[in-house]
C-alpha cells in the first residue's frame, strides 16, 4: 500500500487511469466482485481461488509475480502439497480466457499486461487525484462531484468473497480507503453548507462504524451547524462512553477540543467557510462635490467600482454606469467612490449634473465648454460645434489621468461626447436609465440598502442613544422607508430635528401607507418629487402600465399575470414592462418577473387613484388578474387531481388563463406564482370578489402543504373568510373557512381547526354547497383521528363519504375511504383498514395517471394499514411509491410524514439505523411545517432509532425535546415518551 497523492488517503499503489476501455477491449473490476469483460460480454473468471490469483496479478500493476509469491498470496503459511501445480492450472485457464498477450509467463512467474484504462481501481485513483486538485484550487463543488463519481465505482465489498491472506489484506485497505473518501466528501458537504442534509448519512455511518472518531467528529459539526447543539454534545458523550467500554481509551484530542468549542458556542465553528477580508479602498478627497460624512454601507459596490476605476491606469479607458430608482443613492455612492479613487487620477476630477431626470437635460456642447475651461482652455480657443468641442476635449485629456463624474444622465446619447478617449482616464456615470447601449460600459444596478445598512444610516443621523432605546421601532421605520437611502435620510432628519418625538411616534406616522409618501419630505427633499420626475417622462401607455401594475399586491408579478392586469397580449406587456425597467421605475426580479420598490408601488397606486379614468378601470384590472390566476390554477388542480368534481362548482371566469400539458411545467408555474396567487386571493376578498377568491384558495390548496407558503395560505384564507362574512356570502365564507381548517390542521393546531370546521359546515349547509359538505366532514374526521376521538372520526368520515357520493365525486370518495381506513387501523380493525385503503387506491388509479397527487395519499393510507397487519415488505413498497410522488409533487409535508412512517416501519422490523436515517431526513424536510405535534412524533421515532444503535445520550436529548412539546400541547403521547425516558429497573431490585 502507498500514499495516494489525490486525496491524502491510503490507497493501493496503482498507476493513474485514463478513460473507460472501448468496446471489444478487456475490462476488470476489483472494487467489488472480481470480474472480467470483453466489450459488453462477461468472461468466466473461474473459482474463488482462481479469481484470487487474477486479483493478485491485477493489483501488481503489470509487474511479474513469482510462483512462490502467488502461492503465499493464496494460501499463506499453509499451502497444499500441489500448490505449484494448482497455480499453473489457474494461470493456464485464465490465459485461455483472457488471451496469451494479456496473461504472460516470464522469469518463472506470471504477469497481467493491460491498458491503463482497463481496471476500475486506476479509474478511481485518477478521479481521486482530480478531486484533490479541485479542492486545492477552491473548486469544492467539482471536488464533491468527482468523489461521488469515484465512490460510485465501488460495487459492494472490494475483492468480494476471495480467499487468501493477500486478498484479505487488500480488501481491508480498499475498504479503509473508501471510508476515508466518504469522510472527505462529507467534509466537503459541510464546507458547502449542506450540514442539515449530512446528518442523516452521518448518523447511519456512525452506527455502522461506531469506533471511527472522524465520523463522530463530522456528525457533531453537522448537528451543531444545524442548530442542534444538545445532540452534538450527546454524540460526544456517546463516543466517550463507547471508547471507554470497548477500548479503555479516551476520545482523541481533536474530538475533545471540538466538544469545548461547541460548549463555547464558537461562532467560527458555526460558519461553513470564512469570508475573505475586504480589500482596502483608497481614501483621499479631491475637487468633487463633498461626500456625506455619514456615508454608510455599499462596501461591495465600493470595491467593485474602485477596482474598475483602477484599471484606467492600464491600456483601457474605464467607464462605469450606475443605474437605479430615484433616491437609491447613485450620486452619493459615485461621489464617495470618486473621492476614494483620487490617487489614481492625480491630474484632476471633473463633475457635472446633467439634469437628465427633468424636462431640461443639459446640452453636451454646454458641458464640454465648461469642462474645457476647467482644463485650462481659453474661451477664445473653444470651438462652437459639438463635434469640434468633443475632439478638442479628447485631445486635451490625452496623456492625462482624469476622472469624469457624469451625474444624473438622461441617456447614452447625452454622455457619449463627454467620455474621455484615452487610457489613464475614466468616467463614472449615474442615471435612472440602464445604459445598455453604451458600448464597453461596466453596468451596475444599484439596489436599496440591506436592513443592517439602513439601520446604521438611520442611527448615524438620529443618534445611537435614541435608536438603542427603541430598536424595534427603528427597524419599523427603515422598513417603512423600503430601505431606500433618500427616504431613510428624510425620516431620520425629521426625527433628529424634533427632540420631543420618539422613534415610535415616527414609526406610527409611517405605518399609514396612504400617508407615508406625504410624511417622507423634509425641506427641499421629498421622495414623491423624486418619483414624479421619472413618471412625468413616460409615454401614455407606459404611464398606464406603471399605474395599474402598482395595484396588485404580492412581492412581484409574472409577465402573464401582468398581461392580464393590463388587458394586452404578452408581447406588448413585455415591451411596456421592459421600458419601465430601463427607467428604473420597475425592477426585473428574474426573466419574465417584475417587482416594484415598496415606495414606488405606493406612488404608483397614488397615481392610479389620481390619474386612472374612469375609476372602474382599477377594479376591472384586478378582476382580470383574479380570473387569470383562478383559471390557470384550476387547470393545474385538474392535472394533479384528475376526476375531482370540485372544479365543476367553481365560479365562472371571464379572462382566460394559461394551459399546461406537462405536469412538471404546471407545478413550476404554481410554486413560482405562489406569493402572487395568495396575495391576489387576500386582496380580492374585500372588493366583492370573495367567491372567486375562495375558489382560488381551493385551487391552490397544494401551497398550504408545501411548507414555504403555509403561513401565507392561512392568512389569505382568514382574510377571505372575514370579507365573505361581512358581505353575507355564505358559500364563499364556508369555502374559505374550509381552507382555513385545512391550514390549521396542517400546522398541528387541531382545536382551532375543529372550531373553524364547525362554522364551515354550518355555512355549507346554509348555502347547500356540495364542496363544503364533503370536504369539511372529511377534514373533521382527520382532526378527530389525530386527537384520538375515534368514534367522532368515524362518524365524520361516514358523513363525508355520503356527501362525496351524492355529488358524484369519486376522488373525494376515495379520500374519505382512505381516511376511514386509518380510523379502523387505530381501533384495531386491521383487515378492514387494508380493505378500505385498497378501495380508495382502486378509485384513484381508475381516474388518475399513476403519478397524480391523490394516488399518493391513497398509497400512504394503504402503507399504514399494511404496516398494522405486519405485512412490512408490502407496506415499505407502497410507502416508498407514495414518497416518490409526494417529492415530485413538491409536497414537503407529506414527503416528510411518509419518511416518518417509514422510520416507524423500520423500528417495527428492528432496523434502528435505517429508522434513524429516515427520521433524520423527515426532520430536515419538515423544518418549519407540520406543527410541533408532528415534529415531536418524529423526534420520538428518531430517539428510538438512536437508542437502538447505542447512541443513548443523543436519544435522551430527542425524547426530552419531544416530551416538552407534548406537555405544552397537553398531548396523550407524552406518557409513552416518559416511559422511554424512565430508567430501566435494576435486576434484583424490587
Amino acid at each position: 500500500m502507498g500514499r495516494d497523492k489525490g486525496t491524502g488517503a491510503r490507497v493501493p499503489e496503482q498507476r493513474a487511469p485514463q478513460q473507460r476501455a472501448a468496446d471489444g477491449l478487456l475490462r476488470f473490476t476489483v472494487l467489488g466482485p472480481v470480474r472480467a469483460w470483453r466489450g459488453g460480454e462477461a468472461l468466466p473468471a473461474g473459482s474463488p481461488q482462481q479469481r484470487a490469483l487474477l486479483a493478485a496479478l491485477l493489483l501488481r500493476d503489470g509487474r511479474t509475480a513469482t510462483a512462490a509469491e502467488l502461492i503465499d498470496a493464496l494460501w499463506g503459511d499453509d499451502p497444499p502439497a500441489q500448490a505449484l501445480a494448482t497455480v499453473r492450472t489457474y494461470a493456464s485457464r485464465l490465459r485461455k480466457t483472457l488471451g496469451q498477450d494479456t496473461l504472460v509467463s516470464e522469469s518463472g512467474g506470471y504477469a497481467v499486461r493491460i491498458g491503463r484504462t482497463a481496471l476500475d481501481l486506476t479509474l478511481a485513483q485518477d478521479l481521486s487525484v482530480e478531486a484533490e486538485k479541485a479542492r486545492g484550487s477552491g473548486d469544492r463543488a467539482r471536488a464533491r462531484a468527482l468523489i461521488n463519481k469515484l465512490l460510485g465505482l465501488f460495487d459492494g465489498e472490494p475483492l468480494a468473497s476471495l480467499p487468501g491472506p493477500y486478498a484479505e489484506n487488500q480488501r481491508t485497505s480498499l475498504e479503509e480507503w473508501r471510508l476515508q473518501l466518504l469522510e472527505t466528501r462529507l467534509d466537503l458537504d459541510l464546507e458547502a453548507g449542506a450540514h442539515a442534509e449530512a446528518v442523516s448519512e452521518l448518523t447511519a455511518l456512525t452506527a455502522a462504524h461506531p469506533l471511527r472518531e472522524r465520523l463522530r467528529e463530522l456528525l457533531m459539526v453537522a448537528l451543531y451547524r444545524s442548530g442542534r447543539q444538545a445532540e452534538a454534545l450527546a454524540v460526544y458523550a456517546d463516543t466517550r462512553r463507547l471508547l471507554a467500554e470497548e477500548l479503555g481509551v479516551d476520545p482523541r484530542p481533536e474530538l475533545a477540543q471540538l466538544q469545548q468549542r461547541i460548549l463555547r458556542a464558537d461562532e467560527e465553528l458555526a460558519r461553513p467557510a470564512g469570508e475573505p477580508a475586504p480589500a482596502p479602498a483608497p481614501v483621499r478627497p479631491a475637487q468633487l462635490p463633498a461626500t456625506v460624512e455619514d456615508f454608510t454601507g455599499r462596501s461591495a459596490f465600493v470595491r467593485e467600482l474602485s477596482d474598475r476605476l483602477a484599471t484606467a491606469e492600464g491600456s483601457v479607458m474605464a467607464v462605469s454606469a450606475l443605474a437605479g430608482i430615484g433616491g437609491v443613492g447613485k450620486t452619493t455612492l459615485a461621489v464617495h467612490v470618486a473621492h476614494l479613487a483620487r490617487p489614481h487620477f492625480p491630474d484632476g476630477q471633473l463633475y457635472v449634473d446633467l439634469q437628465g431626470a427633468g424636462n431640461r437635460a443639459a446640452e453636451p456642447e454646454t458641458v464640454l465648454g465648461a469642462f474645457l475651461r476647467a482644463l485650462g482652455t481659453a474661451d477664445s480657443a473653444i470651438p462652437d460645434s459639438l463635434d469640434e468641442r468633443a475632439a478638442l476635449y479628447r485631445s486635451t485629456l490625452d496623456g492625462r489621468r482624469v476622472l469624469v463624474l457624469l451625474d444624473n444622465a438622461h441617456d447614452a446619447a447625452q454622455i457619449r461626447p463627454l467620455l474621455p478617449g484615452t487610457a489613464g482616464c475614466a468616467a463614472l456615470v449615474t442615471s435612472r436609465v440602464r445604459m445598455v447601449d453604451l458600448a464597453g460600459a461596466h453596468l451596475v444596478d444599484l439596489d436599496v440598502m440591506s436592513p443592517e445598512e439602513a439601520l446604521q444610516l438611520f442611527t448615524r443621523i438620529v443618534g445611537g442613544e435614541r435608536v438603542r432605546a427603541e430598536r424595534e421601532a427603528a427597524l419599523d421605520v427603515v422598513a417603512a422607508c423600503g430601505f431606500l437611502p433618500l427616504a431613510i435620510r428624510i425620516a431620520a432628519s425629521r426625527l433628529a430635528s424634533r427632540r420631543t418625538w420618539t422613534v415610535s411616534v415616527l414609526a406610527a406616522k409611517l405605518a399609514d401607507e396612504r400617508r407615508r409618501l406625504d410624511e417622507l419630505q423634509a425641506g427641499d427633499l421629498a421622495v414623491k418629487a423624486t418619483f414624479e420626475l421619472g413618471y412625468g417622462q413616460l409615454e401614455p401607455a407606459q404611464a398606464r402600465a406603471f399605474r395599474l401594475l402598482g395595484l396588485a399586491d404580492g412581492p412581484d408579478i409574472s409577465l402573464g399575470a401582468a398581461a392580464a392586469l393590463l388587458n394586452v397580449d404578452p408581447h406588448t406587456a413585455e415591451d411596456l414592462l421592459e421600458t419601465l425597467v430601463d427607467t428604473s421605475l420597475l425592477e426585473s426580479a428574474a426573466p419574465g418577473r417584475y417587482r416594484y420598490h415598496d415606495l414606488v408601488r405606493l406612488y404608483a397606486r397614488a397615481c392610479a387613484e389620481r390619474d386612472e379614468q374612469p375609476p372602474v378601470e382599477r377594479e376591472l384590472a384586478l378582476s382580470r388578474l383574479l380570473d387569470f390566476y383562478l383559471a390557470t390554477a384550476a387547470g393545474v388542480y385538474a392535472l394533479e387531481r384528475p376526476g375531482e368534481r370540485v372544479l365543476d362548482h367553481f365560479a365562472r371566469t371571464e379572462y382566460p388563463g394559461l394551459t399546461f400539458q406537462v405536469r412538471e411545467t404546471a407545478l413550476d408555474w404554481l410554486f413560482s406564482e405562489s406569493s402572487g396567487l395568495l396575495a391576489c386571493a387576500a386582496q380580492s376578498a374585500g372588493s366583492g370578489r370573495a367567491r372567486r377568491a375562495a375558489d382560488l384558495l381551493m385551487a391552490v390548496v397544494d401551497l398550504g402543504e408545501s411548507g414555504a407558503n403555509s403561513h401565507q395560505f392561512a392568512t389569505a384564507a382568514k382574510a377571505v373568510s372575514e370579507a365573505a362574512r361581512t358581505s353575507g356570502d355564505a358559500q364563499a365564507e364556508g369555502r374559505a373557512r374550509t381552507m382555513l381548517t385545512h391550514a390549521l390542521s396542517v400546522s398541528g393546531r387541531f382545536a382551532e381547526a375543529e372550531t373553524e370546521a364547525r362554522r364551515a359546515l354550518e355555512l355549507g349547509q346554509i348555502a347547500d354547497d356540495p364542496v363544503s359538505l364533503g370536504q369539511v366532514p372529511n377534514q373533521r374526521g382527520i382532526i378527530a383521528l389525530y386527537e384520538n376521538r375515534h368514534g367522532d372520526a368515524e362518524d365524520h368520515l361516514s358523513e363525508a363519504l355520503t356527501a362525496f357520493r351524492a355529488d358524484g365525486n369519486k376522488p373525494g370518495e376515495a379520500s374519505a375511504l382512505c381516511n376511514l381506513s386509518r380510523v379502523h387501523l387505530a381501533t384495531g380493525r386491521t383487515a378492514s383498514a387494508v380493505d378500505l385503503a385498497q378501495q380508495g387506491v382502486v378509485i384513484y388509479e381508475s381516474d388518475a395517471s399513476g403519478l397524480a397527487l391523490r394516488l399518493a395519499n391513497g398509497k400512504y393510507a394503504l402503507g399504514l394499514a399494511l404496516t398494522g397487519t405486519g405485512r412490512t415488505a408490502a407496506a415499505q413498497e407502497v410507502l416508498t411509491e407514495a414518497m416518490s410522488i409526494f417529492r415530485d409533487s413538491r409536497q414537503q409535508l407529506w414527503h416528510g410524514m411518509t419518511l416518518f412512517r417509514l422510520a416507524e416501519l423500520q423500528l417495527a422490523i428492528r432496523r434502528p439505523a435505517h429508522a434513524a436515517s429516515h427520521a433524520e431526513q423527515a426532520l430536515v424536510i419538515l423544518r418549519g411545517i407540520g406543527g410541533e405535534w408532528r415534529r415531536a412524533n418524529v423526534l420520538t421515532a428518531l430517539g428510538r432509532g438512536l437508542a437502538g444503535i447505542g447512541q443513548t445520550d443523543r436519544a435522551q436529548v430527542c425524547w426530552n425535546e419531544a416530551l416538552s412539546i407534548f406537555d405544552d400541547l397537553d398531548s396523550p403521547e407524552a406518557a409513552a415518551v416518559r416511559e422511554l425516558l424512565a430508567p430501566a429497573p435494576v435486576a434484583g431490585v424490587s
Side-chain angles (χ1 to χ4, degrees), residues 126-142:
D126 191 48
L127 289 169
S128 174
V129 172
E130 289 185 51
E132 186 62 24
K133 289 180 179 177
R135 189 178 190 184
S137 66
D139 191 349
R140 297 187 182 93
R142 174 170 166 75

Side-chain angles (χ1 to χ4, degrees), residues 39 198 308 403 454 645 857 864 974:
R308 178 73 178 178
L403 173 64
R645 282 271 294 147
N857 293 122
L864 297 185

